[in-house]
Amino acid sequence: KASRKVKEQLRALVRGLKESKILRLIFSASILTGSVQAVTEVYWQQNFIACAPSNFRWSIGILCALGYAAVILGSKTEPRLADRMGDFPLYWLTKFALPPVVAALGLCQDWQLFVCIYVLIDIVLGIGDVSERTLLHAAVEDACRASMLSVYSLALRIGVVISSVSAAVIVPK
């Protein structure tokens, strides 16, 4: 009986993905988000230390706290932006904004600009996360929400793996 329920759940999951273009788009974009988050989290500290004065190592914790505050700010700002733009356009704006902003962080040589870009990334992630979750929950049937959210989480992790493998090949040792 349990295996039958699992099979039904899997069928509903596959059907939902086949029938919903927005779910396929969200899952594809979540791979990008996972990659961006992984790259940012792995490399931001060493890039910050490289461009900050030598006596600024103590500020890493403060920058972490600023990142959390920026995500909160983005999450708090999202409803007002979504009311003006709509959830879907706002969601895609945040997805398209992430790669160039993260690239700018990697190329940054000034510690003050680095802090601003790092905070901007977290604001964009905060805005995008609320939009993404709103769209995702609206597109998923109640009966298969838990399974769909698990697949969403898997898509994020796939992005992390892709960026890790890419970094292992690209980044000099």
Side-chain angles (χ1 to χ4, degrees):
K1 185 170 173 142
S3 66
R4 187 168 49 131
K5 285 192 175 205
V6 170
K7 287 179 185 178
E8 288 172 13
Q9 196 73 328
L10 287 172
R11 276 191 225 109
L13 186 71
V14 170
R15 185 177 60 251
L17 287 171
K18 282 182 179 178
E19 294 173 358
S20 176
K21 181 178 180 181
I22 194 160
L23 284 177
R24 289 190 307 273
L25 290 171
I26 288 171
F27 283 34
S28 299
S30 67
I31 293 171
L32 169 70
T33 302
S35 293
V36 166
Q37 286 177 317
V39 166
T40 303
E41 287 306 312
V42 168
Y43 294 108
W44 81 265
Q45 287 185 8
Q46 68 189 35
N47 287 0
F48 177 70
I49 289 170
C51 69
S54 60
N55 61 347
F56 264 55
R57 289 177 63 115
W58 59 269
S59 63
I60 288 175
I62 292 172
L63 193 50
C64 285
L66 278 174
Y68 289 122
V71 169
I72 293 168
L73 176 64
S75 297
K76 181 82 173 132
T77 305
E78 191 277 344
R80 284 177 278 181
L81 293 172
D83 286 345
R84 290 187 185 132
M85 296 178 66
D87 285 317
F88 195 71
L90 180 58
Y91 171 69
W92 285 108
L93 178 64
T94 63
K95 293 304 171 190
F96 288 122
L98 277 175
V101 175
V102 170
L105 186 73
L107 299 172
C108 190
Q109 300 295 315
D110 177 72
W111 72 269
Q112 294 157 327
L113 183 59
F114 185 97
V115 169
C116 292
I117 294 170
Y118 182 79
V119 168
L120 178 62
I121 289 169
D122 285 326
I123 290 171
V124 171
L125 286 170
I127 293 168
D129 186 59
V130 174
S131 294
E132 186 169 68
R133 303 291 173 147
T134 302
L135 292 168
L136 182 61
H137 283 279
V140 175
E141 298 173 20
D142 291 340
C144 64
R145 181 162 285 125
S147 298
M148 201 64 81
L149 291 175
S150 294
V151 173
Y152 166 78
S153 179
L154 176 64
L156 285 169
R157 302 306 171 259
I158 289 170
V160 171
V161 169
I162 289 170
S163 68
S164 297
V165 169
S166 299
V169 172
I170 296 169
V171 176
K173 307 247 184 287

